[in-house]
Amino acid sequence: MTQRLHRIYFAPGMFGFGRLASYDYFAHLERAIGARIRAAGDEVATWVLDVPPTASVRRRAARFAELVARTCESEAESDPAKGGPIHLVGHSTGGLDARMLASPEVSLGVDDDQLRWMPRLASVTTLSTPHFGTPMAAMFATVSGQRLLYALSALTFIALSLGSPPIAAASALVVTIGRIDRALGLDIKMLDRATDALLRVLDDAGSREVRLYLDAIKEDQGAVIQLTPEAMELFQAGITDRAGLLYQSTASMAPPPSPRGWMRNLTSPWKTISHTIFATLYGITARLDERYPCAAKNAGAEAEAVLTRVFGRPPGARANDGVVPIRSQVWGRIAWAGYADHLDVLGHFPDEMSRGGGDKAHVDWLASGANFDRDRFAALTDAISDGMLEAARGRVSGA
């Protein structure tokens, strides 16, 4: 069998980043997928898109195209179709970047030379992606919501890189978001004070790079309005799938927050804070507008069979992972479905196990009660990798 070099490109979502201040957002996913493909006898090279987290999907997709073109150029052949397979992987908004980039009819405003690699594209994988929008975007589109997005992004980095943020700073944010009402109103002054408390942690860490990342959220929020259910109708109308590609997705949800779940997290002050934040985000994401339900009219018999088998019955329209409704996450073939929150699927889940070989600890900050673990993560990454290998066999010359 011919050994292939798989080039895999990862795109982060709205809360995410690539590699920031020594923390690698995709480290667990890169390592797991790479190990699975190498075990099958092929080689892997990976890249992570460095892109403004809330820039418009079109701007992000253009940057995506430039990254692939730049990193393939040195090994491009006269006939790009004979090169190794290329795979695009996007988490959350990053999945929309990948779909837009792969769409045969989209205009990204890039030179044709930056798309010469397109015949080598074998698969598009989306994880927890809001293909039909998310109610969360409507909140972030407000003035107070923009500040909340900024604060939550800072909290995400601090929690994942430090393990947990200072309790006082996180508690201030909890008090603020606990006052969100049905009109999506927030006390802006209180929110700003909570954010300042979080940012002082970054000052102590001397993280100028993280500050620049957060400033990018303030400067360009083009994607926020684009992720509303109403705006995603336009995306679906204009973005088409490329023939011959494997499109695969993950579909996950967390259990609805409950008093019992809250009680389980009382053992740790940080878990209590985290679960409170998650419960608020879950409630916002569960809001339903019958006109724009964040779901396909018909997910298809195969998808419905998978969801029913995994969850015992088809998930309802309000079921979500804390950020994206599960019905909005389905696109193409469901590679994996299960209980997980928005960050679990990247390997950011609680795990007390310590392993050698340079494996970084799995750190969680969304105490969702999904009970995601190494076994589920292994099943998820194996399924994604198997899809990539299957797609490569169908597209690479000489396979």
mmCIF file of all heavy atoms in Angstrom, residues 6-10 26-46 87-91 123-127 248 250 335 345-347 377-389:
data_model
loop_
_atom_site.group_PDB
_atom_site.id
_atom_site.type_symbol
_atom_site.label_atom_id
_atom_site.label_comp_id
_atom_site.label_asym_id
_atom_site.label_seq_id
_atom_site.Cartn_x
_atom_site.Cartn_y
_atom_site.Cartn_z
ATOM 1 N N HIS A 6 -0.779 12.886 4.939
ATOM 2 C CA HIS A 6 -2.029 13.619 5.126
ATOM 3 C C HIS A 6 -1.710 14.997 5.710
ATOM 4 O O HIS A 6 -1.061 15.097 6.751
ATOM 5 C CB HIS A 6 -2.954 12.872 6.090
ATOM 6 C CG HIS A 6 -3.407 11.537 5.609
ATOM 7 N ND1 HIS A 6 -4.687 11.307 5.154
ATOM 8 C CD2 HIS A 6 -2.753 10.350 5.510
ATOM 9 C CE1 HIS A 6 -4.816 10.041 4.804
ATOM 10 N NE2 HIS A 6 -3.649 9.435 5.019
ATOM 11 N N ARG A 7 -2.171 16.026 5.051
ATOM 12 C CA ARG A 7 -2.045 17.379 5.586
ATOM 13 C C ARG A 7 -3.386 17.767 6.203
ATOM 14 O O ARG A 7 -4.399 17.808 5.511
ATOM 15 C CB ARG A 7 -1.659 18.361 4.473
ATOM 16 C CG ARG A 7 -0.243 18.165 3.956
ATOM 17 C CD ARG A 7 0.007 19.062 2.752
ATOM 18 N NE ARG A 7 1.382 18.990 2.325
ATOM 19 C CZ ARG A 7 1.899 18.025 1.555
ATOM 20 N NH1 ARG A 7 1.110 17.048 1.142
ATOM 21 N NH2 ARG A 7 3.167 18.043 1.220
ATOM 22 N N ILE A 8 -3.360 18.046 7.500
ATOM 23 C CA ILE A 8 -4.595 18.336 8.230
ATOM 24 C C ILE A 8 -4.516 19.756 8.771
ATOM 25 O O ILE A 8 -3.543 20.139 9.419
ATOM 26 C CB ILE A 8 -4.810 17.340 9.383
ATOM 27 C CG1 ILE A 8 -4.742 15.898 8.868
ATOM 28 C CG2 ILE A 8 -6.157 17.592 10.057
ATOM 29 C CD1 ILE A 8 -4.869 14.844 9.959
ATOM 30 N N TYR A 9 -5.555 20.530 8.509
ATOM 31 C CA TYR A 9 -5.608 21.939 8.893
ATOM 32 C C TYR A 9 -6.775 22.156 9.847
ATOM 33 O O TYR A 9 -7.911 21.785 9.541
ATOM 34 C CB TYR A 9 -5.760 22.822 7.654
ATOM 35 C CG TYR A 9 -4.569 22.739 6.724
ATOM 36 C CD1 TYR A 9 -4.463 21.717 5.781
ATOM 37 C CD2 TYR A 9 -3.537 23.666 6.807
ATOM 38 C CE1 TYR A 9 -3.360 21.622 4.946
ATOM 39 C CE2 TYR A 9 -2.429 23.592 5.982
ATOM 40 C CZ TYR A 9 -2.346 22.563 5.044
ATOM 41 O OH TYR A 9 -1.250 22.470 4.219
ATOM 42 N N PHE A 10 -6.478 22.773 10.985
ATOM 43 C CA PHE A 10 -7.477 22.984 12.032
ATOM 44 C C PHE A 10 -7.845 24.466 12.119
ATOM 45 O O PHE A 10 -6.968 25.337 12.152
ATOM 46 C CB PHE A 10 -6.934 22.527 13.384
ATOM 47 C CG PHE A 10 -6.640 21.053 13.467
ATOM 48 C CD1 PHE A 10 -5.406 20.548 13.082
ATOM 49 C CD2 PHE A 10 -7.604 20.166 13.924
ATOM 50 C CE1 PHE A 10 -5.124 19.192 13.152
ATOM 51 C CE2 PHE A 10 -7.339 18.805 13.997
ATOM 52 C CZ PHE A 10 -6.094 18.313 13.609
ATOM 53 N N PHE A 26 -5.615 22.993 20.091
ATOM 54 C CA PHE A 26 -5.951 21.751 19.392
ATOM 55 C C PHE A 26 -4.999 20.604 19.728
ATOM 56 O O PHE A 26 -5.004 19.581 19.043
ATOM 57 C CB PHE A 26 -5.927 21.981 17.870
ATOM 58 C CG PHE A 26 -7.133 22.699 17.333
ATOM 59 C CD1 PHE A 26 -7.074 24.035 17.017
ATOM 60 C CD2 PHE A 26 -8.327 22.036 17.142
ATOM 61 C CE1 PHE A 26 -8.168 24.712 16.509
ATOM 62 C CE2 PHE A 26 -9.443 22.689 16.635
ATOM 63 C CZ PHE A 26 -9.368 24.031 16.329
ATOM 64 N N ALA A 27 -4.175 20.752 20.755
ATOM 65 C CA ALA A 27 -3.124 19.764 21.024
ATOM 66 C C ALA A 27 -3.672 18.343 21.148
ATOM 67 O O ALA A 27 -3.127 17.406 20.557
ATOM 68 C CB ALA A 27 -2.373 20.153 22.297
ATOM 69 N N HIS A 28 -4.731 18.156 21.909
ATOM 70 C CA HIS A 28 -5.264 16.809 22.125
ATOM 71 C C HIS A 28 -5.835 16.227 20.834
ATOM 72 O O HIS A 28 -5.634 15.043 20.524
ATOM 73 C CB HIS A 28 -6.339 16.838 23.206
ATOM 74 C CG HIS A 28 -5.854 17.322 24.535
ATOM 75 N ND1 HIS A 28 -4.857 16.695 25.245
ATOM 76 C CD2 HIS A 28 -6.213 18.398 25.283
ATOM 77 C CE1 HIS A 28 -4.634 17.345 26.374
ATOM 78 N NE2 HIS A 28 -5.446 18.390 26.415
ATOM 79 N N LEU A 29 -6.544 17.047 20.089
ATOM 80 C CA LEU A 29 -7.152 16.569 18.851
ATOM 81 C C LEU A 29 -6.077 16.244 17.815
ATOM 82 O O LEU A 29 -6.142 15.202 17.149
ATOM 83 C CB LEU A 29 -8.108 17.632 18.305
ATOM 84 C CG LEU A 29 -9.148 17.171 17.287
ATOM 85 C CD1 LEU A 29 -10.110 16.175 17.909
ATOM 86 C CD2 LEU A 29 -9.926 18.364 16.740
ATOM 87 N N GLU A 30 -5.091 17.116 17.663
ATOM 88 C CA GLU A 30 -3.992 16.864 16.724
ATOM 89 C C GLU A 30 -3.286 15.555 17.058
ATOM 90 O O GLU A 30 -3.015 14.734 16.171
ATOM 91 C CB GLU A 30 -2.967 18.002 16.791
ATOM 92 C CG GLU A 30 -3.340 19.260 16.058
ATOM 93 C CD GLU A 30 -2.193 20.249 16.083
ATOM 94 O OE1 GLU A 30 -1.345 20.216 15.173
ATOM 95 O OE2 GLU A 30 -2.134 21.056 17.035
ATOM 96 N N ARG A 31 -2.957 15.382 18.332
ATOM 97 C CA ARG A 31 -2.198 14.201 18.742
ATOM 98 C C ARG A 31 -2.988 12.920 18.497
ATOM 99 O O ARG A 31 -2.453 11.931 17.985
ATOM 100 C CB ARG A 31 -1.832 14.323 20.219
ATOM 101 C CG ARG A 31 -0.950 13.193 20.722
ATOM 102 C CD ARG A 31 -0.648 13.335 22.210
ATOM 103 N NE ARG A 31 0.069 14.570 22.476
ATOM 104 C CZ ARG A 31 -0.443 15.610 23.136
ATOM 105 N NH1 ARG A 31 -1.705 15.559 23.560
ATOM 106 N NH2 ARG A 31 0.261 16.683 23.354
ATOM 107 N N ALA A 32 -4.261 12.940 18.851
ATOM 108 C CA ALA A 32 -5.064 11.719 18.739
ATOM 109 C C ALA A 32 -5.300 11.331 17.281
ATOM 110 O O ALA A 32 -5.175 10.154 16.907
ATOM 111 C CB ALA A 32 -6.397 11.912 19.464
ATOM 112 N N ILE A 33 -5.653 12.299 16.451
ATOM 113 C CA ILE A 33 -5.890 11.996 15.040
ATOM 114 C C ILE A 33 -4.586 11.575 14.366
ATOM 115 O O ILE A 33 -4.554 10.620 13.576
ATOM 116 C CB ILE A 33 -6.518 13.209 14.327
ATOM 117 C CG1 ILE A 33 -7.936 13.448 14.848
ATOM 118 C CG2 ILE A 33 -6.534 13.000 12.812
ATOM 119 C CD1 ILE A 33 -8.610 14.679 14.273
ATOM 120 N N GLY A 34 -3.501 12.280 14.667
ATOM 121 C CA GLY A 34 -2.216 11.921 14.089
ATOM 122 C C GLY A 34 -1.802 10.505 14.438
ATOM 123 O O GLY A 34 -1.318 9.746 13.583
ATOM 124 N N ALA A 35 -1.983 10.101 15.692
ATOM 125 C CA ALA A 35 -1.609 8.758 16.127
ATOM 126 C C ALA A 35 -2.428 7.701 15.401
ATOM 127 O O ALA A 35 -1.897 6.651 14.998
ATOM 128 C CB ALA A 35 -1.795 8.633 17.639
ATOM 129 N N ARG A 36 -3.713 7.970 15.210
ATOM 130 C CA ARG A 36 -4.580 6.990 14.541
ATOM 131 C C ARG A 36 -4.179 6.813 13.080
ATOM 132 O O ARG A 36 -4.143 5.688 12.570
ATOM 133 C CB ARG A 36 -6.040 7.457 14.640
ATOM 134 C CG ARG A 36 -7.029 6.588 13.891
ATOM 135 C CD ARG A 36 -7.154 5.221 14.521
ATOM 136 N NE ARG A 36 -8.065 4.365 13.770
ATOM 137 C CZ ARG A 36 -7.752 3.672 12.681
ATOM 138 N NH1 ARG A 36 -6.514 3.744 12.179
ATOM 139 N NH2 ARG A 36 -8.652 2.920 12.089
ATOM 140 N N ILE A 37 -3.868 7.901 12.398
ATOM 141 C CA ILE A 37 -3.500 7.805 10.986
ATOM 142 C C ILE A 37 -2.124 7.151 10.823
ATOM 143 O O ILE A 37 -1.902 6.349 9.909
ATOM 144 C CB ILE A 37 -3.541 9.198 10.333
ATOM 145 C CG1 ILE A 37 -5.005 9.667 10.234
ATOM 146 C CG2 ILE A 37 -2.889 9.195 8.955
ATOM 147 C CD1 ILE A 37 -5.184 11.042 9.647
ATOM 148 N N ARG A 38 -1.201 7.461 11.730
ATOM 149 C CA ARG A 38 0.117 6.813 11.663
ATOM 150 C C ARG A 38 0.000 5.316 11.938
ATOM 151 O O ARG A 38 0.727 4.505 11.347
ATOM 152 C CB ARG A 38 1.075 7.468 12.660
ATOM 153 C CG ARG A 38 1.464 8.888 12.265
ATOM 154 C CD ARG A 38 2.544 9.462 13.177
ATOM 155 N NE ARG A 38 2.859 10.823 12.783
ATOM 156 C CZ ARG A 38 2.340 11.910 13.350
ATOM 157 N NH1 ARG A 38 1.476 11.773 14.364
ATOM 158 N NH2 ARG A 38 2.662 13.115 12.926
ATOM 159 N N ALA A 39 -0.912 4.941 12.824
ATOM 160 C CA ALA A 39 -1.122 3.526 13.114
ATOM 161 C C ALA A 39 -1.631 2.780 11.885
ATOM 162 O O ALA A 39 -1.434 1.565 11.751
ATOM 163 C CB ALA A 39 -2.107 3.366 14.267
ATOM 164 N N ALA A 40 -2.280 3.513 10.974
ATOM 165 C CA ALA A 40 -2.777 2.906 9.737
ATOM 166 C C ALA A 40 -1.692 2.845 8.663
ATOM 167 O O ALA A 40 -1.948 2.362 7.554
ATOM 168 C CB ALA A 40 -3.973 3.696 9.215
ATOM 169 N N GLY A 41 -0.494 3.361 8.973
ATOM 170 C CA GLY A 41 0.619 3.262 8.030
ATOM 171 C C GLY A 41 0.893 4.502 7.221
ATOM 172 O O GLY A 41 1.769 4.488 6.342
ATOM 173 N N ASP A 42 0.190 5.584 7.477
ATOM 174 C CA ASP A 42 0.410 6.831 6.742
ATOM 175 C C ASP A 42 1.117 7.852 7.636
ATOM 176 O O ASP A 42 1.284 7.653 8.838
ATOM 177 C CB ASP A 42 -0.927 7.405 6.255
ATOM 178 C CG ASP A 42 -1.501 6.615 5.086
ATOM 179 O OD1 ASP A 42 -0.779 5.761 4.538
ATOM 180 O OD2 ASP A 42 -2.666 6.856 4.724
ATOM 181 N N GLU A 43 1.507 8.984 7.037
ATOM 182 C CA GLU A 43 2.152 10.055 7.765
ATOM 183 C C GLU A 43 1.207 11.259 7.864
ATOM 184 O O GLU A 43 0.260 11.385 7.088
ATOM 185 C CB GLU A 43 3.462 10.473 7.089
ATOM 186 C CG GLU A 43 4.565 9.441 7.248
ATOM 187 C CD GLU A 43 4.905 9.176 8.721
ATOM 188 O OE1 GLU A 43 4.984 10.161 9.489
ATOM 189 O OE2 GLU A 43 5.043 8.000 9.094
ATOM 190 N N VAL A 44 1.497 12.143 8.801
ATOM 191 C CA VAL A 44 0.622 13.280 9.058
ATOM 192 C C VAL A 44 1.450 14.536 9.281
ATOM 193 O O VAL A 44 2.497 14.503 9.930
ATOM 194 C CB VAL A 44 -0.244 13.044 10.323
ATOM 195 C CG1 VAL A 44 -1.128 14.256 10.604
ATOM 196 C CG2 VAL A 44 -1.100 11.807 10.166
ATOM 197 N N ALA A 45 0.978 15.642 8.723
ATOM 198 C CA ALA A 45 1.509 16.963 9.038
ATOM 199 C C ALA A 45 0.308 17.849 9.360
ATOM 200 O O ALA A 45 -0.723 17.776 8.679
ATOM 201 C CB ALA A 45 2.304 17.534 7.868
ATOM 202 N N THR A 46 0.410 18.664 10.416
ATOM 203 C CA THR A 46 -0.734 19.467 10.855
ATOM 204 C C THR A 46 -0.379 20.941 10.957
ATOM 205 O O THR A 46 0.762 21.307 11.232
ATOM 206 C CB THR A 46 -1.257 18.989 12.224
ATOM 207 O OG1 THR A 46 -0.226 19.132 13.209
ATOM 208 C CG2 THR A 46 -1.704 17.534 12.164
ATOM 209 N N HIS A 87 -7.010 17.662 4.438
ATOM 210 C CA HIS A 87 -8.228 17.585 5.238
ATOM 211 C C HIS A 87 -8.421 18.892 5.998
ATOM 212 O O HIS A 87 -7.465 19.420 6.591
ATOM 213 C CB HIS A 87 -8.138 16.440 6.249
ATOM 214 C CG HIS A 87 -7.764 15.121 5.652
ATOM 215 N ND1 HIS A 87 -8.682 14.280 5.067
ATOM 216 C CD2 HIS A 87 -6.554 14.500 5.543
ATOM 217 C CE1 HIS A 87 -8.059 13.184 4.627
ATOM 218 N NE2 HIS A 87 -6.770 13.302 4.902
ATOM 219 N N LEU A 88 -9.625 19.411 6.005
ATOM 220 C CA LEU A 88 -9.966 20.610 6.761
ATOM 221 C C LEU A 88 -10.806 20.199 7.968
ATOM 222 O O LEU A 88 -11.780 19.451 7.827
ATOM 223 C CB LEU A 88 -10.758 21.595 5.903
ATOM 224 C CG LEU A 88 -10.138 22.019 4.568
ATOM 225 C CD1 LEU A 88 -11.058 23.013 3.848
ATOM 226 C CD2 LEU A 88 -8.745 22.604 4.759
ATOM 227 N N VAL A 89 -10.414 20.684 9.140
ATOM 228 C CA VAL A 89 -11.130 20.378 10.383
ATOM 229 C C VAL A 89 -11.472 21.693 11.066
ATOM 230 O O VAL A 89 -10.587 22.518 11.322
ATOM 231 C CB VAL A 89 -10.277 19.508 11.323
ATOM 232 C CG1 VAL A 89 -11.042 19.210 12.611
ATOM 233 C CG2 VAL A 89 -9.855 18.214 10.641
ATOM 234 N N GLY A 90 -12.740 21.900 11.369
ATOM 235 C CA GLY A 90 -13.142 23.134 12.034
ATOM 236 C C GLY A 90 -13.974 22.870 13.267
ATOM 237 O O GLY A 90 -14.884 22.032 13.244
ATOM 238 N N HIS A 91 -13.637 23.564 14.341
ATOM 239 C CA HIS A 91 -14.447 23.490 15.552
ATOM 240 C C HIS A 91 -15.325 24.726 15.633
ATOM 241 O O HIS A 91 -14.852 25.848 15.432
ATOM 242 C CB HIS A 91 -13.562 23.413 16.793
ATOM 243 C CG HIS A 91 -14.335 23.476 18.077
ATOM 244 N ND1 HIS A 91 -14.227 24.527 18.975
ATOM 245 C CD2 HIS A 91 -15.249 22.622 18.614
ATOM 246 C CE1 HIS A 91 -15.023 24.305 20.000
ATOM 247 N NE2 HIS A 91 -15.660 23.155 19.812
ATOM 248 N N SER A 123 -11.442 15.750 2.595
ATOM 249 C CA SER A 123 -12.523 15.719 3.582
ATOM 250 C C SER A 123 -12.657 17.053 4.302
ATOM 251 O O SER A 123 -11.708 17.833 4.401
ATOM 252 C CB SER A 123 -12.276 14.611 4.618
ATOM 253 O OG SER A 123 -11.204 14.950 5.483
ATOM 254 N N VAL A 124 -13.862 17.279 4.800
ATOM 255 C CA VAL A 124 -14.181 18.427 5.655
ATOM 256 C C VAL A 124 -14.855 17.871 6.906
ATOM 257 O O VAL A 124 -15.887 17.202 6.816
ATOM 258 C CB VAL A 124 -15.107 19.429 4.942
ATOM 259 C CG1 VAL A 124 -15.579 20.502 5.921
ATOM 260 C CG2 VAL A 124 -14.406 20.060 3.748
ATOM 261 N N THR A 125 -14.257 18.144 8.057
ATOM 262 C CA THR A 125 -14.785 17.659 9.332
ATOM 263 C C THR A 125 -15.209 18.842 10.183
ATOM 264 O O THR A 125 -14.427 19.779 10.384
ATOM 265 C CB THR A 125 -13.728 16.841 10.098
ATOM 266 O OG1 THR A 125 -13.304 15.736 9.297
ATOM 267 C CG2 THR A 125 -14.288 16.324 11.413
ATOM 268 N N THR A 126 -16.433 18.816 10.684
ATOM 269 C CA THR A 126 -16.932 19.905 11.529
ATOM 270 C C THR A 126 -17.308 19.353 12.899
ATOM 271 O O THR A 126 -17.994 18.347 12.996
ATOM 272 C CB THR A 126 -18.137 20.603 10.887
ATOM 273 O OG1 THR A 126 -19.209 19.667 10.697
ATOM 274 C CG2 THR A 126 -17.763 21.186 9.525
ATOM 275 N N LEU A 127 -16.837 20.023 13.938
ATOM 276 C CA LEU A 127 -17.129 19.626 15.308
ATOM 277 C C LEU A 127 -17.919 20.736 15.995
ATOM 278 O O LEU A 127 -17.477 21.887 16.034
ATOM 279 C CB LEU A 127 -15.836 19.375 16.096
ATOM 280 C CG LEU A 127 -14.915 18.266 15.611
ATOM 281 C CD1 LEU A 127 -13.841 18.841 14.689
ATOM 282 C CD2 LEU A 127 -14.229 17.566 16.798
ATOM 283 N N GLN A 248 -18.132 15.226 7.153
ATOM 284 C CA GLN A 248 -18.506 14.502 8.362
ATOM 285 C C GLN A 248 -18.569 15.479 9.532
ATOM 286 O O GLN A 248 -17.861 16.494 9.563
ATOM 287 C CB GLN A 248 -17.526 13.367 8.659
ATOM 288 C CG GLN A 248 -16.089 13.793 8.842
ATOM 289 C CD GLN A 248 -15.161 12.617 9.143
ATOM 290 O OE1 GLN A 248 -15.600 11.458 9.269
ATOM 291 N NE2 GLN A 248 -13.879 12.878 9.279
ATOM 292 N N THR A 250 -19.570 16.000 14.008
ATOM 293 C CA THR A 250 -19.893 15.460 15.322
ATOM 294 C C THR A 250 -21.152 16.156 15.818
ATOM 295 O O THR A 250 -21.391 17.315 15.502
ATOM 296 C CB THR A 250 -18.761 15.669 16.337
ATOM 297 O OG1 THR A 250 -18.588 17.072 16.582
ATOM 298 C CG2 THR A 250 -17.450 15.076 15.814
ATOM 299 N N ALA A 335 -20.049 11.444 12.107
ATOM 300 C CA ALA A 335 -18.931 10.562 12.443
ATOM 301 C C ALA A 335 -19.050 10.058 13.875
ATOM 302 O O ALA A 335 -18.709 8.908 14.173
ATOM 303 C CB ALA A 335 -17.609 11.307 12.258
ATOM 304 N N VAL A 345 -15.244 18.043 23.049
ATOM 305 C CA VAL A 345 -14.898 17.347 21.810
ATOM 306 C C VAL A 345 -13.484 17.673 21.337
ATOM 307 O O VAL A 345 -12.935 16.973 20.483
ATOM 308 C CB VAL A 345 -15.909 17.666 20.686
ATOM 309 C CG1 VAL A 345 -17.285 17.138 21.053
ATOM 310 C CG2 VAL A 345 -15.956 19.166 20.390
ATOM 311 N N LEU A 346 -12.869 18.728 21.889
ATOM 312 C CA LEU A 346 -11.485 19.067 21.553
ATOM 313 C C LEU A 346 -10.493 18.417 22.503
ATOM 314 O O LEU A 346 -9.279 18.540 22.318
ATOM 315 C CB LEU A 346 -11.288 20.586 21.598
ATOM 316 C CG LEU A 346 -12.061 21.387 20.554
ATOM 317 C CD1 LEU A 346 -11.833 22.872 20.782
ATOM 318 C CD2 LEU A 346 -11.628 20.994 19.147
ATOM 319 N N GLY A 347 -10.993 17.731 23.510
ATOM 320 C CA GLY A 347 -10.114 17.144 24.513
ATOM 321 C C GLY A 347 -10.028 17.960 25.770
ATOM 322 O O GLY A 347 -9.255 17.640 26.678
ATOM 323 N N PHE A 377 -13.512 10.305 23.971
ATOM 324 C CA PHE A 377 -12.623 11.091 23.110
ATOM 325 C C PHE A 377 -11.905 10.186 22.119
ATOM 326 O O PHE A 377 -11.753 10.536 20.938
ATOM 327 C CB PHE A 377 -11.617 11.857 23.967
ATOM 328 C CG PHE A 377 -10.770 12.826 23.182
ATOM 329 C CD1 PHE A 377 -11.353 13.881 22.492
ATOM 330 C CD2 PHE A 377 -9.390 12.695 23.153
ATOM 331 C CE1 PHE A 377 -10.576 14.777 21.769
ATOM 332 C CE2 PHE A 377 -8.604 13.587 22.443
ATOM 333 C CZ PHE A 377 -9.195 14.627 21.755
ATOM 334 N N ALA A 378 -11.490 9.017 22.571
ATOM 335 C CA ALA A 378 -10.834 8.069 21.678
ATOM 336 C C ALA A 378 -11.797 7.601 20.587
ATOM 337 O O ALA A 378 -11.418 7.486 19.409
ATOM 338 C CB ALA A 378 -10.307 6.874 22.464
ATOM 339 N N ALA A 379 -13.046 7.329 20.968
ATOM 340 C CA ALA A 379 -14.034 6.896 19.974
ATOM 341 C C ALA A 379 -14.291 8.005 18.959
ATOM 342 O O ALA A 379 -14.403 7.746 17.746
ATOM 343 C CB ALA A 379 -15.332 6.505 20.671
ATOM 344 N N LEU A 380 -14.364 9.251 19.428
ATOM 345 C CA LEU A 380 -14.593 10.393 18.538
ATOM 346 C C LEU A 380 -13.433 10.565 17.557
ATOM 347 O O LEU A 380 -13.637 10.678 16.347
ATOM 348 C CB LEU A 380 -14.793 11.652 19.381
ATOM 349 C CG LEU A 380 -15.056 12.986 18.662
ATOM 350 C CD1 LEU A 380 -15.906 13.889 19.551
ATOM 351 C CD2 LEU A 380 -13.753 13.709 18.319
ATOM 352 N N THR A 381 -12.216 10.581 18.074
ATOM 353 C CA THR A 381 -11.060 10.812 17.205
ATOM 354 C C THR A 381 -10.808 9.626 16.273
ATOM 355 O O THR A 381 -10.356 9.814 15.135
ATOM 356 C CB THR A 381 -9.810 11.126 18.033
ATOM 357 O OG1 THR A 381 -9.621 10.121 19.039
ATOM 358 C CG2 THR A 381 -9.962 12.478 18.715
ATOM 359 N N ASP A 382 -11.090 8.411 16.733
ATOM 360 C CA ASP A 382 -10.964 7.251 15.840
ATOM 361 C C ASP A 382 -11.939 7.360 14.674
ATOM 362 O O ASP A 382 -11.592 7.082 13.521
ATOM 363 C CB ASP A 382 -11.235 5.954 16.605
ATOM 364 C CG ASP A 382 -10.049 5.514 17.457
ATOM 365 O OD1 ASP A 382 -8.973 6.141 17.348
ATOM 366 O OD2 ASP A 382 -10.204 4.541 18.223
ATOM 367 N N ALA A 383 -13.162 7.768 14.966
ATOM 368 C CA ALA A 383 -14.177 7.873 13.914
ATOM 369 C C ALA A 383 -13.802 8.953 12.904
ATOM 370 O O ALA A 383 -13.944 8.759 11.688
ATOM 371 C CB ALA A 383 -15.537 8.179 14.531
ATOM 372 N N ILE A 384 -13.324 10.100 13.388
ATOM 373 C CA ILE A 384 -12.902 11.170 12.484
ATOM 374 C C ILE A 384 -11.737 10.704 11.615
ATOM 375 O O ILE A 384 -11.716 10.913 10.395
ATOM 376 C CB ILE A 384 -12.507 12.419 13.290
ATOM 377 C CG1 ILE A 384 -13.751 13.062 13.911
ATOM 378 C CG2 ILE A 384 -11.774 13.429 12.407
ATOM 379 C CD1 ILE A 384 -13.432 14.198 14.854
ATOM 380 N N SER A 385 -10.757 10.061 12.233
ATOM 381 C CA SER A 385 -9.582 9.586 11.498
ATOM 382 C C SER A 385 -9.954 8.529 10.468
ATOM 383 O O SER A 385 -9.436 8.531 9.346
ATOM 384 C CB SER A 385 -8.552 9.018 12.482
ATOM 385 O OG SER A 385 -8.219 9.960 13.477
ATOM 386 N N ASP A 386 -10.843 7.628 10.844
ATOM 387 C CA ASP A 386 -11.287 6.597 9.889
ATOM 388 C C ASP A 386 -11.933 7.240 8.668
ATOM 389 O O ASP A 386 -11.747 6.780 7.536
ATOM 390 C CB ASP A 386 -12.272 5.643 10.564
ATOM 391 C CG ASP A 386 -11.599 4.712 11.564
ATOM 392 O OD1 ASP A 386 -10.351 4.620 11.537
ATOM 393 O OD2 ASP A 386 -12.316 4.089 12.377
ATOM 394 N N GLY A 387 -12.708 8.292 8.896
ATOM 395 C CA GLY A 387 -13.314 8.998 7.772
ATOM 396 C C GLY A 387 -12.269 9.615 6.863
ATOM 397 O O GLY A 387 -12.382 9.564 5.633
ATOM 398 N N MET A 388 -11.237 10.219 7.448
ATOM 399 C CA MET A 388 -10.162 10.805 6.647
ATOM 400 C C MET A 388 -9.443 9.749 5.821
ATOM 401 O O MET A 388 -9.148 9.954 4.629
ATOM 402 C CB MET A 388 -9.159 11.511 7.567
ATOM 403 C CG MET A 388 -9.693 12.756 8.238
ATOM 404 S SD MET A 388 -8.449 13.469 9.348
ATOM 405 C CE MET A 388 -9.286 14.971 9.866
ATOM 406 N N LEU A 389 -9.146 8.632 6.449
ATOM 407 C CA LEU A 389 -8.464 7.550 5.733
ATOM 408 C C LEU A 389 -9.331 7.016 4.598
ATOM 409 O O LEU A 389 -8.839 6.753 3.491
ATOM 410 C CB LEU A 389 -8.119 6.414 6.713
ATOM 411 C CG LEU A 389 -7.021 6.746 7.737
ATOM 412 C CD1 LEU A 389 -7.028 5.707 8.856
ATOM 413 C CD2 LEU A 389 -5.670 6.787 7.057
#
